Amino acid sequence: MNQKKLSLWLKAIMIGVGICGLIVYLGILPNIGSYLKDSYPEFSAWHWPWMIFLWLTAVPCYAVLVLGWKIAVNIGNDHSFSTENAGLLQHIAWLIAGDILFFFLGNAVLFFLGMNHPAIILIALLICAIGIAVSVAAACLSHLVRKAADLQEQSDFTV
């Protein structure tokens, strides 16, 4: 697979993920929230705080997609191992870590305000563990891309 084809695949995957995210954040979550609000009137006061909280968690996710798109463009231009890609991956790692921290703290605040269930906290911890793993993987990939870019730059000057 050449660089252009890989870049196109990455872009297609990112478009697919973005569309799936829109379906989840604008379709599924509001429907679930409305169902819970209608089925359990005692939880109706929780609906809007939770919806706003969940929608705010989407912002860094779409920022990551924008940065991933830039990486895909660089790969298509045959600049896979560049300091720019390493920096973009580092930004992605920090965005994911920040989103996970916001998600964890938001769940804790909603729990202490009496707007969260302990079972949701356990599910949130699982989501946080997965997010931390992805953030660490992005940081490691950033480090490796930076090392490869340095090696490539040294070999370009040698030849």
Side-chain angles (χ1 to χ4, degrees), residues 43-97:
F43 300 145
S44 62
W46 300 9
H47 179 74
W48 284 111
W50 266 100
M51 290 309 302
I52 292 168
F53 168 65
L54 291 174
W55 286 333
L56 286 175
T57 62
V59 174
C61 297
Y62 282 95
V64 165
L65 287 177
V66 169
L67 294 176
W69 190 274
K70 290 180 181 180
I71 291 172
V73 168
N74 286 341
I75 289 172
N77 293 334
D78 203 21
H79 298 295
S80 301
F81 300 110
S82 64
T83 55
E84 181 184 0
N85 280 353
L88 291 170
L89 284 165
Q90 191 66 41
H91 289 310
I92 288 171
W94 281 110
L95 276 170
I96 295 170

